[in-house]
Amino acid sequence: MRLRCVVLDDFQGVATTMADWSVIEDEVEVVTLREHLDGEDALAAALAGYDIVVTLRERVPFPGSLIARLPRLRLLVASGMRNGVIDYAAAEAHGVTVCGTASSGTPPVELTWALLLGLARGIVEESNALRAGGPWQSTVGADLHGSRLGLLGLGRIGSRVARVGLAFGMRVSAWSRHLTKERAAEIGVELAASKEELLASSDFVSVHLVLGDRTRGLVGAPELALMKPTAYLINTSRAAIVDQDALLDALHAGRIAGAGVDVFDIEPLPAAHPMRTAPRLLATPHLGYVSQANYTTYYRQAVEDIQAYLAGSPVRRLP
């Protein structure tokens, strides 16, 4: 009897085309779900009949209470090698193996710049006006060259964002709690004296930090109040690092020029969520990791993870 595998959140319907799943078809029946499952009861009911679950990034939480309701589950495959919404101890206690895949930092770097440039040059407004027969030019773009880019975080992704900023001729500074002057100098950027100094002096602020107890709510109303009224905030990292209600207030009040956001407290966003209609906001539906190359890696390695598990030698085990 074949095992049953379900691939969650295949929004584009491409999971089975990005890899050769036929190599496991003799042992595994694969089903994909294009609609997001929300809530533990819905997940428990929908996943009860599967031995293997392939989950996309951190979109679906797997707390111990859910894992306990899935007695048939034996293998959980997560895209990426870091996942903060899986209870690993509970998985181990219930005999569930958890494996990951590689994940490239290039797509979120590129999307960060897509949002930043889109805001700076009013791309959406001008394109919509042109297509609708509206005014010929209505915005005056913000210049990147000579302006200051402030990075909250200078890790794998932040450092690559910094190098692009330098190529544009921007003055780049960075801050995080453990960032050193030597590390900043390696990338060719300035170390900001403090988070507050970075926010107050930057024309563009981009968030590139790992979510944790120290970074949750790191940018709230007091921090947003420090930013210039002509400044833009970009967040392609984790939604909870920026207080969403405080950001909405700042956008509605015009306290900052705008924001580019790819991550949200609730995903997918409910139809009536205020982030869908906020002014001065360029928003995308968590596309940071969504690219041809990344999806190919995710699903090919998911198949590899399943093959290795079936062979009794799991690979890329998490955590």
mmCIF file of all heavy atoms in Angstrom, residues 256-304:
data_model
loop_
_atom_site.group_PDB
_atom_site.id
_atom_site.type_symbol
_atom_site.label_atom_id
_atom_site.label_comp_id
_atom_site.label_asym_id
_atom_site.label_seq_id
_atom_site.Cartn_x
_atom_site.Cartn_y
_atom_site.Cartn_z
ATOM 1 N N ILE A 256 5.349 59.072 7.288
ATOM 2 C CA ILE A 256 6.442 58.665 6.405
ATOM 3 C C ILE A 256 5.917 58.706 4.979
ATOM 4 O O ILE A 256 4.701 58.697 4.741
ATOM 5 C CB ILE A 256 6.983 57.258 6.752
ATOM 6 C CG1 ILE A 256 5.885 56.195 6.637
ATOM 7 C CG2 ILE A 256 7.600 57.243 8.142
ATOM 8 C CD1 ILE A 256 6.389 54.768 6.842
ATOM 9 N N ALA A 257 6.847 58.747 4.024
ATOM 10 C CA ALA A 257 6.433 58.892 2.622
ATOM 11 C C ALA A 257 5.759 57.639 2.093
ATOM 12 O O ALA A 257 4.897 57.713 1.205
ATOM 13 C CB ALA A 257 7.645 59.241 1.771
ATOM 14 N N GLY A 258 6.159 56.485 2.622
ATOM 15 C CA GLY A 258 5.549 55.259 2.142
ATOM 16 C C GLY A 258 6.249 54.040 2.698
ATOM 17 O O GLY A 258 7.264 54.140 3.392
ATOM 18 N N ALA A 259 5.681 52.867 2.391
ATOM 19 C CA ALA A 259 6.264 51.611 2.840
ATOM 20 C C ALA A 259 6.083 50.555 1.764
ATOM 21 O O ALA A 259 5.092 50.560 1.025
ATOM 22 C CB ALA A 259 5.609 51.141 4.148
ATOM 23 N N GLY A 260 7.063 49.667 1.680
ATOM 24 C CA GLY A 260 6.970 48.502 0.810
ATOM 25 C C GLY A 260 6.993 47.268 1.686
ATOM 26 O O GLY A 260 7.949 47.050 2.430
ATOM 27 N N VAL A 261 5.944 46.453 1.632
ATOM 28 C CA VAL A 261 5.777 45.341 2.567
ATOM 29 C C VAL A 261 5.456 44.053 1.808
ATOM 30 O O VAL A 261 4.593 44.047 0.917
ATOM 31 C CB VAL A 261 4.645 45.641 3.573
ATOM 32 C CG1 VAL A 261 4.353 44.429 4.448
ATOM 33 C CG2 VAL A 261 5.016 46.842 4.442
ATOM 34 N N ASP A 262 6.158 42.988 2.169
ATOM 35 C CA ASP A 262 5.918 41.684 1.550
ATOM 36 C C ASP A 262 5.468 40.649 2.576
ATOM 37 O O ASP A 262 5.166 39.512 2.201
ATOM 38 C CB ASP A 262 7.202 41.200 0.852
ATOM 39 C CG ASP A 262 7.010 39.909 0.072
ATOM 40 O OD1 ASP A 262 6.042 39.841 -0.715
ATOM 41 O OD2 ASP A 262 7.816 38.979 0.250
ATOM 42 N N VAL A 263 5.414 41.026 3.852
ATOM 43 C CA VAL A 263 5.104 40.079 4.923
ATOM 44 C C VAL A 263 4.045 40.681 5.848
ATOM 45 O O VAL A 263 4.019 41.890 6.081
ATOM 46 C CB VAL A 263 6.374 39.727 5.724
ATOM 47 C CG1 VAL A 263 7.281 38.818 4.901
ATOM 48 C CG2 VAL A 263 7.149 40.985 6.140
ATOM 49 N N PHE A 264 3.185 39.821 6.379
ATOM 50 C CA PHE A 264 2.028 40.292 7.133
ATOM 51 C C PHE A 264 1.786 39.424 8.355
ATOM 52 O O PHE A 264 2.178 38.249 8.391
ATOM 53 C CB PHE A 264 0.787 40.275 6.225
ATOM 54 C CG PHE A 264 0.992 41.030 4.938
ATOM 55 C CD1 PHE A 264 1.461 40.381 3.812
ATOM 56 C CD2 PHE A 264 0.761 42.391 4.871
ATOM 57 C CE1 PHE A 264 1.679 41.067 2.628
ATOM 58 C CE2 PHE A 264 0.980 43.099 3.702
ATOM 59 C CZ PHE A 264 1.448 42.434 2.577
ATOM 60 N N ASP A 265 1.104 40.000 9.344
ATOM 61 C CA ASP A 265 0.808 39.261 10.566
ATOM 62 C C ASP A 265 -0.096 38.068 10.295
ATOM 63 O O ASP A 265 -0.017 37.042 10.969
ATOM 64 C CB ASP A 265 0.126 40.178 11.590
ATOM 65 C CG ASP A 265 1.095 41.185 12.197
ATOM 66 O OD1 ASP A 265 2.315 40.993 12.045
ATOM 67 O OD2 ASP A 265 0.629 42.154 12.826
ATOM 68 N N ILE A 266 -0.997 38.215 9.316
ATOM 69 C CA ILE A 266 -1.898 37.136 8.917
ATOM 70 C C ILE A 266 -1.660 36.879 7.432
ATOM 71 O O ILE A 266 -1.720 37.805 6.624
ATOM 72 C CB ILE A 266 -3.374 37.517 9.134
ATOM 73 C CG1 ILE A 266 -3.635 37.911 10.590
ATOM 74 C CG2 ILE A 266 -4.291 36.373 8.720
ATOM 75 C CD1 ILE A 266 -5.018 38.483 10.817
ATOM 76 N N GLU A 267 -1.386 35.623 7.087
ATOM 77 C CA GLU A 267 -1.183 35.283 5.682
ATOM 78 C C GLU A 267 -1.940 34.008 5.341
ATOM 79 O O GLU A 267 -1.861 33.037 6.094
ATOM 80 C CB GLU A 267 0.306 35.109 5.389
ATOM 81 C CG GLU A 267 1.115 36.379 5.559
ATOM 82 C CD GLU A 267 2.569 36.216 5.124
ATOM 83 O OE1 GLU A 267 2.906 35.164 4.522
ATOM 84 O OE2 GLU A 267 3.358 37.141 5.360
ATOM 85 N N PRO A 268 -2.645 33.988 4.216
ATOM 86 C CA PRO A 268 -2.942 35.106 3.325
ATOM 87 C C PRO A 268 -3.780 36.180 4.033
ATOM 88 O O PRO A 268 -4.514 35.869 4.969
ATOM 89 C CB PRO A 268 -3.733 34.459 2.191
ATOM 90 C CG PRO A 268 -3.378 33.010 2.227
ATOM 91 C CD PRO A 268 -3.167 32.704 3.680
ATOM 92 N N LEU A 269 -3.674 37.401 3.557
ATOM 93 C CA LEU A 269 -4.419 38.506 4.152
ATOM 94 C C LEU A 269 -5.919 38.324 3.923
ATOM 95 O O LEU A 269 -6.346 38.044 2.799
ATOM 96 C CB LEU A 269 -4.000 39.834 3.530
ATOM 97 C CG LEU A 269 -2.793 40.565 4.102
ATOM 98 C CD1 LEU A 269 -2.575 41.857 3.327
ATOM 99 C CD2 LEU A 269 -2.962 40.863 5.573
ATOM 100 N N PRO A 270 -6.750 38.484 4.953
ATOM 101 C CA PRO A 270 -8.199 38.479 4.740
ATOM 102 C C PRO A 270 -8.606 39.591 3.764
ATOM 103 O O PRO A 270 -7.934 40.615 3.652
ATOM 104 C CB PRO A 270 -8.754 38.747 6.147
ATOM 105 C CG PRO A 270 -7.656 38.306 7.080
ATOM 106 C CD PRO A 270 -6.375 38.616 6.370
ATOM 107 N N ALA A 271 -9.689 39.368 3.074
ATOM 108 C CA ALA A 271 -10.120 40.299 2.024
ATOM 109 C C ALA A 271 -10.327 41.713 2.556
ATOM 110 O O ALA A 271 -10.069 42.696 1.837
ATOM 111 C CB ALA A 271 -11.403 39.784 1.381
ATOM 112 N N ALA A 272 -10.784 41.842 3.790
ATOM 113 C CA ALA A 272 -11.086 43.165 4.336
ATOM 114 C C ALA A 272 -9.951 43.719 5.209
ATOM 115 O O ALA A 272 -10.136 44.722 5.901
ATOM 116 C CB ALA A 272 -12.374 43.111 5.147
ATOM 117 N N HIS A 273 -8.789 43.103 5.171
ATOM 118 C CA HIS A 273 -7.693 43.555 6.029
ATOM 119 C C HIS A 273 -7.253 44.967 5.635
ATOM 120 O O HIS A 273 -7.134 45.284 4.443
ATOM 121 C CB HIS A 273 -6.511 42.596 5.901
ATOM 122 C CG HIS A 273 -5.510 42.737 6.996
ATOM 123 N ND1 HIS A 273 -4.595 43.765 7.041
ATOM 124 C CD2 HIS A 273 -5.282 41.982 8.108
ATOM 125 C CE1 HIS A 273 -3.841 43.638 8.123
ATOM 126 N NE2 HIS A 273 -4.247 42.566 8.787
ATOM 127 N N PRO A 274 -7.000 45.840 6.617
ATOM 128 C CA PRO A 274 -6.644 47.234 6.301
ATOM 129 C C PRO A 274 -5.331 47.388 5.532
ATOM 130 O O PRO A 274 -5.126 48.417 4.877
ATOM 131 C CB PRO A 274 -6.563 47.899 7.679
ATOM 132 C CG PRO A 274 -6.423 46.781 8.670
ATOM 133 C CD PRO A 274 -7.155 45.637 8.077
ATOM 134 N N MET A 275 -4.455 46.391 5.562
ATOM 135 C CA MET A 275 -3.221 46.502 4.789
ATOM 136 C C MET A 275 -3.483 46.449 3.292
ATOM 137 O O MET A 275 -2.667 46.885 2.490
ATOM 138 C CB MET A 275 -2.252 45.381 5.178
ATOM 139 C CG MET A 275 -1.666 45.500 6.568
ATOM 140 S SD MET A 275 -0.560 46.920 6.784
ATOM 141 C CE MET A 275 0.967 46.264 6.107
ATOM 142 N N ARG A 276 -4.639 45.930 2.896
ATOM 143 C CA ARG A 276 -4.962 45.850 1.468
ATOM 144 C C ARG A 276 -5.288 47.217 0.869
ATOM 145 O O ARG A 276 -5.170 47.406 -0.345
ATOM 146 C CB ARG A 276 -6.140 44.901 1.238
ATOM 147 C CG ARG A 276 -5.803 43.422 1.417
ATOM 148 C CD ARG A 276 -7.001 42.568 1.037
ATOM 149 N NE ARG A 276 -6.744 41.134 1.148
ATOM 150 C CZ ARG A 276 -6.304 40.361 0.162
ATOM 151 N NH1 ARG A 276 -6.049 40.905 -1.024
ATOM 152 N NH2 ARG A 276 -6.123 39.069 0.345
ATOM 153 N N THR A 277 -5.707 48.148 1.694
ATOM 154 C CA THR A 277 -6.160 49.440 1.177
ATOM 155 C C THR A 277 -5.423 50.627 1.793
ATOM 156 O O THR A 277 -5.818 51.773 1.582
ATOM 157 C CB THR A 277 -7.670 49.602 1.437
ATOM 158 O OG1 THR A 277 -7.944 49.418 2.837
ATOM 159 C CG2 THR A 277 -8.469 48.580 0.639
ATOM 160 N N ALA A 278 -4.366 50.387 2.540
ATOM 161 C CA ALA A 278 -3.643 51.477 3.208
ATOM 162 C C ALA A 278 -3.009 52.409 2.174
ATOM 163 O O ALA A 278 -2.488 51.961 1.146
ATOM 164 C CB ALA A 278 -2.567 50.914 4.124
ATOM 165 N N PRO A 279 -3.033 53.710 2.445
ATOM 166 C CA PRO A 279 -2.381 54.655 1.524
ATOM 167 C C PRO A 279 -0.863 54.563 1.646
ATOM 168 O O PRO A 279 -0.338 54.091 2.656
ATOM 169 C CB PRO A 279 -2.887 56.013 2.023
ATOM 170 C CG PRO A 279 -3.143 55.803 3.491
ATOM 171 C CD PRO A 279 -3.646 54.384 3.604
ATOM 172 N N ARG A 280 -0.179 54.992 0.593
ATOM 173 C CA ARG A 280 1.292 55.077 0.600
ATOM 174 C C ARG A 280 1.946 53.713 0.799
ATOM 175 O O ARG A 280 3.086 53.629 1.230
ATOM 176 C CB ARG A 280 1.789 56.049 1.682
ATOM 177 C CG ARG A 280 1.225 57.455 1.558
ATOM 178 C CD ARG A 280 1.686 58.360 2.705
ATOM 179 N NE ARG A 280 1.096 59.674 2.571
ATOM 180 C CZ ARG A 280 -0.104 60.008 3.046
ATOM 181 N NH1 ARG A 280 -0.808 59.104 3.702
ATOM 182 N NH2 ARG A 280 -0.582 61.217 2.874
ATOM 183 N N LEU A 281 1.215 52.642 0.478
ATOM 184 C CA LEU A 281 1.737 51.297 0.704
ATOM 185 C C LEU A 281 1.838 50.539 -0.613
ATOM 186 O O LEU A 281 0.859 50.431 -1.357
ATOM 187 C CB LEU A 281 0.824 50.527 1.663
ATOM 188 C CG LEU A 281 1.233 49.076 1.939
ATOM 189 C CD1 LEU A 281 2.540 49.027 2.720
ATOM 190 C CD2 LEU A 281 0.124 48.340 2.709
ATOM 191 N N LEU A 282 3.027 50.017 -0.892
ATOM 192 C CA LEU A 282 3.230 49.095 -2.000
ATOM 193 C C LEU A 282 3.388 47.711 -1.374
ATOM 194 O O LEU A 282 4.365 47.451 -0.673
ATOM 195 C CB LEU A 282 4.475 49.478 -2.797
ATOM 196 C CG LEU A 282 4.870 48.553 -3.956
ATOM 197 C CD1 LEU A 282 3.716 48.367 -4.941
ATOM 198 C CD2 LEU A 282 6.097 49.103 -4.670
ATOM 199 N N ALA A 283 2.419 46.839 -1.589
ATOM 200 C CA ALA A 283 2.394 45.555 -0.897
ATOM 201 C C ALA A 283 2.346 44.405 -1.893
ATOM 202 O O ALA A 283 1.681 44.489 -2.928
ATOM 203 C CB ALA A 283 1.181 45.480 0.037
ATOM 204 N N THR A 284 3.046 43.329 -1.554
ATOM 205 C CA THR A 284 3.045 42.118 -2.362
ATOM 206 C C THR A 284 2.752 40.922 -1.449
ATOM 207 O O THR A 284 3.066 40.950 -0.257
ATOM 208 C CB THR A 284 4.400 41.910 -3.070
ATOM 209 O OG1 THR A 284 5.474 42.094 -2.125
ATOM 210 C CG2 THR A 284 4.581 42.914 -4.204
ATOM 211 N N PRO A 285 2.154 39.852 -1.984
ATOM 212 C CA PRO A 285 1.685 38.736 -1.152
ATOM 213 C C PRO A 285 2.765 37.724 -0.808
ATOM 214 O O PRO A 285 2.711 36.570 -1.209
ATOM 215 C CB PRO A 285 0.584 38.114 -2.012
ATOM 216 C CG PRO A 285 1.037 38.374 -3.419
ATOM 217 C CD PRO A 285 1.689 39.731 -3.384
ATOM 218 N N HIS A 286 3.765 38.165 -0.047
ATOM 219 C CA HIS A 286 4.885 37.333 0.404
ATOM 220 C C HIS A 286 5.541 36.608 -0.771
ATOM 221 O O HIS A 286 5.616 35.379 -0.833
ATOM 222 C CB HIS A 286 4.428 36.321 1.455
ATOM 223 C CG HIS A 286 5.554 35.906 2.369
ATOM 224 N ND1 HIS A 286 5.379 35.492 3.656
ATOM 225 C CD2 HIS A 286 6.900 35.856 2.158
ATOM 226 C CE1 HIS A 286 6.538 35.196 4.209
ATOM 227 N NE2 HIS A 286 7.482 35.410 3.304
ATOM 228 N N LEU A 287 6.072 37.411 -1.689
ATOM 229 C CA LEU A 287 6.727 36.883 -2.883
ATOM 230 C C LEU A 287 8.240 36.779 -2.730
ATOM 231 O O LEU A 287 8.922 36.377 -3.674
ATOM 232 C CB LEU A 287 6.427 37.796 -4.077
ATOM 233 C CG LEU A 287 4.960 37.946 -4.492
ATOM 234 C CD1 LEU A 287 4.848 38.926 -5.648
ATOM 235 C CD2 LEU A 287 4.354 36.600 -4.863
ATOM 236 N N GLY A 288 8.760 37.125 -1.547
ATOM 237 C CA GLY A 288 10.209 37.212 -1.384
ATOM 238 C C GLY A 288 10.958 35.967 -1.813
ATOM 239 O O GLY A 288 12.023 36.048 -2.416
ATOM 240 N N TYR A 289 10.412 34.803 -1.515
ATOM 241 C CA TYR A 289 11.088 33.545 -1.837
ATOM 242 C C TYR A 289 10.567 32.918 -3.125
ATOM 243 O O TYR A 289 11.060 31.866 -3.565
ATOM 244 C CB TYR A 289 10.900 32.544 -0.689
ATOM 245 C CG TYR A 289 9.445 32.236 -0.414
ATOM 246 C CD1 TYR A 289 8.796 31.202 -1.080
ATOM 247 C CD2 TYR A 289 8.713 32.986 0.503
ATOM 248 C CE1 TYR A 289 7.460 30.931 -0.850
ATOM 249 C CE2 TYR A 289 7.381 32.723 0.747
ATOM 250 C CZ TYR A 289 6.758 31.689 0.065
ATOM 251 O OH TYR A 289 5.427 31.437 0.295
ATOM 252 N N VAL A 290 9.535 33.533 -3.737
ATOM 253 C CA VAL A 290 8.830 32.907 -4.857
ATOM 254 C C VAL A 290 9.534 33.222 -6.173
ATOM 255 O O VAL A 290 9.354 34.294 -6.752
ATOM 256 C CB VAL A 290 7.360 33.370 -4.915
ATOM 257 C CG1 VAL A 290 6.637 32.682 -6.065
ATOM 258 C CG2 VAL A 290 6.664 33.085 -3.593
ATOM 259 N N SER A 291 10.352 32.297 -6.619
ATOM 260 C CA SER A 291 11.024 32.442 -7.905
ATOM 261 C C SER A 291 11.216 31.068 -8.519
ATOM 262 O O SER A 291 11.162 30.045 -7.825
ATOM 263 C CB SER A 291 12.380 33.139 -7.751
ATOM 264 O OG SER A 291 13.341 32.256 -7.215
ATOM 265 N N GLN A 292 11.448 31.050 -9.808
ATOM 266 C CA GLN A 292 11.620 29.781 -10.523
ATOM 267 C C GLN A 292 12.721 28.931 -9.897
ATOM 268 O O GLN A 292 12.534 27.744 -9.636
ATOM 269 C CB GLN A 292 11.952 30.081 -11.990
ATOM 270 C CG GLN A 292 12.023 28.856 -12.888
ATOM 271 C CD GLN A 292 10.662 28.386 -13.342
ATOM 272 O OE1 GLN A 292 9.724 29.163 -13.410
ATOM 273 N NE2 GLN A 292 10.544 27.112 -13.675
ATOM 274 N N ALA A 293 13.872 29.547 -9.658
ATOM 275 C CA ALA A 293 15.006 28.788 -9.135
ATOM 276 C C ALA A 293 14.731 28.272 -7.722
ATOM 277 O O ALA A 293 15.045 27.125 -7.386
ATOM 278 C CB ALA A 293 16.269 29.639 -9.147
ATOM 279 N N ASN A 294 14.142 29.125 -6.872
ATOM 280 C CA ASN A 294 13.875 28.701 -5.500
ATOM 281 C C ASN A 294 12.845 27.576 -5.456
ATOM 282 O O ASN A 294 13.000 26.599 -4.716
ATOM 283 C CB ASN A 294 13.387 29.890 -4.673
ATOM 284 C CG ASN A 294 14.288 30.169 -3.477
ATOM 285 O OD1 ASN A 294 15.365 29.600 -3.339
ATOM 286 N ND2 ASN A 294 13.850 31.053 -2.611
ATOM 287 N N TYR A 295 11.779 27.708 -6.227
ATOM 288 C CA TYR A 295 10.766 26.660 -6.222
ATOM 289 C C TYR A 295 11.327 25.343 -6.758
ATOM 290 O O TYR A 295 10.987 24.271 -6.262
ATOM 291 C CB TYR A 295 9.561 27.109 -7.055
ATOM 292 C CG TYR A 295 8.472 27.761 -6.243
ATOM 293 C CD1 TYR A 295 8.775 28.500 -5.112
ATOM 294 C CD2 TYR A 295 7.131 27.627 -6.601
ATOM 295 C CE1 TYR A 295 7.788 29.100 -4.370
ATOM 296 C CE2 TYR A 295 6.131 28.226 -5.862
ATOM 297 C CZ TYR A 295 6.460 28.957 -4.742
ATOM 298 O OH TYR A 295 5.462 29.544 -4.006
ATOM 299 N N THR A 296 12.185 25.433 -7.768
ATOM 300 C CA THR A 296 12.812 24.219 -8.283
ATOM 301 C C THR A 296 13.630 23.536 -7.192
ATOM 302 O O THR A 296 13.566 22.314 -7.009
ATOM 303 C CB THR A 296 13.706 24.547 -9.491
ATOM 304 O OG1 THR A 296 12.906 25.098 -10.531
ATOM 305 C CG2 THR A 296 14.409 23.300 -10.006
ATOM 306 N N THR A 297 14.378 24.337 -6.438
ATOM 307 C CA THR A 297 15.160 23.784 -5.327
ATOM 308 C C THR A 297 14.257 23.175 -4.268
ATOM 309 O O THR A 297 14.488 22.048 -3.800
ATOM 310 C CB THR A 297 16.035 24.873 -4.689
ATOM 311 O OG1 THR A 297 16.973 25.342 -5.653
ATOM 312 C CG2 THR A 297 16.792 24.346 -3.478
ATOM 313 N N TYR A 298 13.227 23.904 -3.872
ATOM 314 C CA TYR A 298 12.328 23.407 -2.826
ATOM 315 C C TYR A 298 11.762 22.031 -3.177
ATOM 316 O O TYR A 298 11.827 21.081 -2.383
ATOM 317 C CB TYR A 298 11.150 24.357 -2.627
ATOM 318 C CG TYR A 298 11.467 25.687 -1.984
ATOM 319 C CD1 TYR A 298 10.537 26.723 -2.009
ATOM 320 C CD2 TYR A 298 12.677 25.913 -1.345
ATOM 321 C CE1 TYR A 298 10.809 27.939 -1.418
ATOM 322 C CE2 TYR A 298 12.958 27.137 -0.760
ATOM 323 C CZ TYR A 298 12.018 28.147 -0.801
ATOM 324 O OH TYR A 298 12.285 29.358 -0.224
ATOM 325 N N TYR A 299 11.169 21.939 -4.357
ATOM 326 C CA TYR A 299 10.434 20.722 -4.678
ATOM 327 C C TYR A 299 11.338 19.575 -5.096
ATOM 328 O O TYR A 299 11.042 18.410 -4.788
ATOM 329 C CB TYR A 299 9.342 21.030 -5.697
ATOM 330 C CG TYR A 299 8.284 21.935 -5.110
ATOM 331 C CD1 TYR A 299 8.031 23.204 -5.628
ATOM 332 C CD2 TYR A 299 7.559 21.535 -3.988
ATOM 333 C CE1 TYR A 299 7.084 24.037 -5.058
ATOM 334 C CE2 TYR A 299 6.606 22.363 -3.407
ATOM 335 C CZ TYR A 299 6.376 23.619 -3.955
ATOM 336 O OH TYR A 299 5.434 24.435 -3.375
ATOM 337 N N ARG A 300 12.448 19.876 -5.762
ATOM 338 C CA ARG A 300 13.386 18.796 -6.065
ATOM 339 C C ARG A 300 13.971 18.202 -4.788
ATOM 340 O O ARG A 300 14.087 16.982 -4.656
ATOM 341 C CB ARG A 300 14.513 19.322 -6.972
ATOM 342 C CG ARG A 300 14.097 19.514 -8.424
ATOM 343 C CD ARG A 300 15.270 19.988 -9.267
ATOM 344 N NE ARG A 300 14.870 20.159 -10.664
ATOM 345 C CZ ARG A 300 15.651 20.676 -11.611
ATOM 346 N NH1 ARG A 300 16.898 21.064 -11.315
ATOM 347 N NH2 ARG A 300 15.212 20.795 -12.852
ATOM 348 N N GLN A 301 14.321 19.069 -3.867
ATOM 349 C CA GLN A 301 14.896 18.555 -2.624
ATOM 350 C C GLN A 301 13.828 17.943 -1.722
ATOM 351 O O GLN A 301 14.139 17.053 -0.914
ATOM 352 C CB GLN A 301 15.680 19.652 -1.912
ATOM 353 C CG GLN A 301 16.930 20.062 -2.682
ATOM 354 C CD GLN A 301 17.896 20.892 -1.863
ATOM 355 O OE1 GLN A 301 17.698 21.149 -0.680
ATOM 356 N NE2 GLN A 301 18.968 21.324 -2.504
ATOM 357 N N ALA A 302 12.587 18.382 -1.849
ATOM 358 C CA ALA A 302 11.505 17.712 -1.113
ATOM 359 C C ALA A 302 11.390 16.266 -1.581
ATOM 360 O O ALA A 302 11.237 15.339 -0.762
ATOM 361 C CB ALA A 302 10.190 18.443 -1.324
ATOM 362 N N VAL A 303 11.478 16.054 -2.898
ATOM 363 C CA VAL A 303 11.446 14.687 -3.431
ATOM 364 C C VAL A 303 12.648 13.901 -2.911
ATOM 365 O O VAL A 303 12.523 12.739 -2.501
ATOM 366 C CB VAL A 303 11.427 14.710 -4.968
ATOM 367 C CG1 VAL A 303 11.578 13.292 -5.519
ATOM 368 C CG2 VAL A 303 10.136 15.336 -5.482
ATOM 369 N N GLU A 304 13.832 14.542 -2.899
ATOM 370 C CA GLU A 304 15.024 13.879 -2.368
ATOM 371 C C GLU A 304 14.848 13.507 -0.900
ATOM 372 O O GLU A 304 15.252 12.421 -0.467
ATOM 373 C CB GLU A 304 16.245 14.782 -2.530
ATOM 374 C CG GLU A 304 16.674 15.010 -3.959
ATOM 375 C CD GLU A 304 17.783 16.046 -4.070
ATOM 376 O OE1 GLU A 304 18.253 16.539 -3.029
ATOM 377 O OE2 GLU A 304 18.153 16.390 -5.203
#
